[in-house]
Amino acid sequence: MRRTIKKEINLNKLNTGCLPCMSEAKNMEQKISNRKVSEIKIEEVKTIVS
C-alpha cells in the first residue's frame, strides 16, 4: 500500500462548494442580514443554525 499525504483543508476559505451547502450558507446570511454576532440573541442563533 502507498501512503498518501494528508492535506488540511479549511472549508471556510473555499470559493466553491456543493449546491446544498452553498444554498444553506446563503439562507444563513439572509437570516443574519448584516448584523453583528453580538446583536443576535442566543435563541435566534439556535434557529438559524438548526
Side-chain angles (χ1 to χ4, degrees):
M1 284 189 158
R2 293 171 136 187
R3 288 190 179 193
T4 58
I5 299 171
K6 292 183 180 180
K7 295 181 181 179
E8 294 291 329
I9 299 174
N10 188 351
L11 298 176
N12 294 325
K13 293 184 179 181
L14 291 177
N15 293 331
T16 59
C18 64
L19 186 61
C21 295
M22 296 298 284
S23 63
E24 280 298 317
K26 189 178 285 188
N27 287 339
M28 285 183 189
E29 286 179 359
Q30 289 176 350
K31 289 178 183 178
I32 293 172
S33 66
N34 296 327
R35 293 184 285 172
K36 293 181 181 178
V37 176
S38 60
E39 294 175 355
I40 301 172
K41 296 180 182 177
I42 294 173
E43 294 299 320
E44 190 175 357
V45 171
K46 290 179 183 178
T47 59
I48 290 172
V49 174
S50 63

